[in-house]
Amino acid sequence: MPVQKPLGGPGDFVHHAGLFSRRCFMTIDKLSRVLFLLLVAAVLYLTLSPNPPHVALDTIPYGDKIEHFTAFAALALMARLGFPRAADWHLLEHLSFLGAMIEVVQATPDLQRDCDWHDWVADSLGALAMLVALRVLLRWRRSRGPVAAPVTLH
């Protein structure tokens, strides 16, 4: 029976959850990296497309900011799961930079998009909120004590 290591790093709540066996070809961090890259591609398409699709949130006040917040919260979740050894501040820095670069590119007249620094703030706050929520979840998980070994039936 494999010995479980104690919880230690930012991504340990994933690796010690017993979600994937060693025989599984795709671990949760690899799957999350793939999902992260797909999300990045989707966010880039939606934010840099001259004619993005309209959604219901576009009709409410600050709906655009909610979209930005949610998109970058999802990116932060997949980044945390996909890169469990990376520091939270490092992920936040890179995601915030991505949001800023999106706004800079949106300032290009050919895109017919608007550059709004409030969108960048919403991007950064979404990533920060998710990383803080995951940190709180990890601390709560640690406070519950060690993870019991899974029971195997023979």
Side-chain angles (χ1 to χ4, degrees):
M1 177 182 270
V3 177
Q4 290 187 341
K5 295 185 286 185
L7 295 173
D12 282 342
F13 63 93
V14 172
H15 294 288
H16 294 283
L19 298 175
F20 291 87
S21 70
R22 290 183 188 263
R23 289 180 275 162
C24 184
F25 75 99
M26 180 79 76
T27 59
I28 196 163
D29 58 336
K30 290 179 185 173
L31 177 62
S32 297
R33 286 178 190 161
V34 170
L35 292 174
F36 173 74
L37 292 175
L38 289 173
L39 274 174
V40 168
V43 166
L44 289 175
Y45 171 75
L46 292 171
T47 57
L48 300 178
S49 173
N51 297 314
H54 293 286
V55 295
L57 281 176
D58 292 338
T59 61
I60 65 170
Y62 304 107
D64 177 51
K65 306 306 175 249
I66 295 169
E67 291 169 4
H68 281 266
F69 184 94
T70 305
F72 275 76
L75 284 171
L77 173 63
M78 288 299 108
R80 167 49 55 228
L81 295 176
F83 304 97
R85 297 191 189 277
D88 287 341
W89 68 267
H90 194 80
L91 295 176
L92 179 60
E93 174 187 41
H94 282 72
L95 290 172
S96 182
F97 182 75
L98 174 64
M101 289 301 98
I102 287 171
E103 294 308 315
V104 168
V105 173
Q106 281 183 342
T108 307
D110 293 340
L111 283 181
Q112 302 171 359
R113 299 291 299 258
D114 294 325
C115 173
D116 184 0
W117 68 271
H118 294 100
D119 290 346
W120 170 69
V121 170
D123 297 342
S124 299
L125 288 176
L128 176 64
M130 180 56 74
L131 292 171
V132 167
L134 291 173
R135 176 61 56 186
V136 168
L137 178 65
L138 177 61
R139 288 188 184 193
W140 173 78
R141 178 75 180 91
R142 285 181 181 167
S143 71
R144 294 187 60 208
V147 176
V151 176
T152 56
L153 301 174
H154 294 282

